[in-house]
Amino acid sequence: MGQIPNRPGGPWRAILLAASVLGSCLQPAPAQTPVTIVLTPPSPVVGGDVSLAPQNLPQDVLVCSWYRSATTHESSRILTYYPPPAPDQIPGPAYTGREIAGPGCTLHIAGLTLSDTGNYTVLIQSRTGTNPVRSIRVVLRVSDAPRPALSAGAVAGILIGSLVGAALVGVGAYFLSSRCRNKTPKKNGAPVLVYENLPLTAWVGPVAQPGSPPDPSPIYQMLQPRQLDVYEELKN
């Protein structure tokens, strides 16, 4: 058998060239890196700011629109952003005045409130690529602003103040109770001796007889009905 001639322009060269072209056409297209959205800070709080930045964007972005929902309905559009060389921002129906777009189709939201919690969607349109229009969604969660913790000195001050207040209340209650219990009835500015737990016809004394020297032996006098009324008034 003779050898296959190796001549320039021969049929074997044409066959090899066709196979090379066919192989290059059958090679799969490189997979596109998925676009994701990163929140900065990752845990935004009420009153703070947050940035929603798409990652792995194509280089030839024409326009991107942000929506405050899981869909791209026009009523939920926050804004539409046109990147350089002629950057521009067009507000939408869901624009609140706290949103602004920046390079890379990043959405900045200032002065966060609890109502900002929810789904956000960005619609990105590029000039070329197998997928010139992409829709990416992210969930923004605003937790309430943390309250400052009390220092050890503040806790000790509150505890001491509570104890002092309780002590003052107890002393005041004891003073009022003692005063009411030891109150002596008076008549015409002079104290009147009152015997407790006596029957209705109570006794008071000693009573000195007019014009007589003091008698060492006490004399007791039965109260009359009118005197009993005075006694009850003085007692109450």
Side-chain angles (χ1 to χ4, degrees), residues 39 41-42 44 50 52 109 112 116-120 138-142:
L39 275 64
V50 68
L52 288 70
I109 307 177
L112 290 171
D116 291 322
T117 297
N119 293 297
Y120 287 78
V138 68
V139 177
L140 172 63
R141 292 183 176 89
V142 184

Side-chain angles (χ1 to χ4, degrees), residues 7-208:
R7 292 179 298 172
W12 289 107
R13 183 178 180 182
I15 293 173
L16 292 175
L17 179 62
S20 176
V21 172
L22 181 61
S24 63
C25 293
L26 293 178
Q27 289 181 357
Q32 293 183 340
T33 305
V35 178
T36 58
I37 299 177
V38 174
L39 275 64
T40 307
S43 300
V45 297
V46 171
D49 302 341
V50 68
S51 296
L52 288 70
Q55 306 294 308
N56 305 318
L57 282 179
Q59 299 296 324
D60 54 353
V61 174
L62 286 175
V63 62
C64 55
S65 298
W66 278 97
Y67 299 83
R68 186 175 274 110
S69 69
T71 65
T72 56
H73 194 273
E74 174 61 19
S75 61
S76 62
R77 183 173 64 88
I78 302 173
L79 54 83
T80 297
Y81 173 73
Y82 294 89
D88 192 12
Q89 174 177 312
I90 300 176
Y95 180 73
T96 67
R98 299 178 291 114
E99 301 88 359
I100 187 172
C105 295
T106 299
L107 177 67
H108 303 278
I109 307 177
L112 290 171
T113 65
L114 290 177
S115 60
D116 291 322
T117 297
N119 293 297
Y120 287 78
T121 303
V122 60
L123 188 64
I124 302 171
Q125 182 178 354
S126 56
R127 292 185 180 90
T128 59
T130 58
N131 188 14
V133 179
R134 304 184 187 186
S135 177
I136 305 96
R137 188 182 67 178
V138 68
V139 177
L140 172 63
R141 292 183 176 89
V142 184
S143 22
D144 198 358
R147 295 176 175 82
L150 293 176
S151 63
V155 173
I158 294 175
L159 180 60
I160 293 174
S162 301
L163 293 176
V164 171
L168 290 176
V169 170
V171 171
Y174 176 78
F175 175 77
L176 292 176
S177 176
S178 300
R179 185 176 180 182
C180 293
R181 184 173 62 250
N182 299 327
K183 184 176 180 181
T184 303
K186 294 184 179 180
K187 183 177 182 181
N188 298 328
V192 177
L193 183 61
V194 177
Y195 293 90
E196 299 289 347
N197 300 325
L198 294 178
L200 186 59
T201 57
W203 299 84
V204 296
V207 180

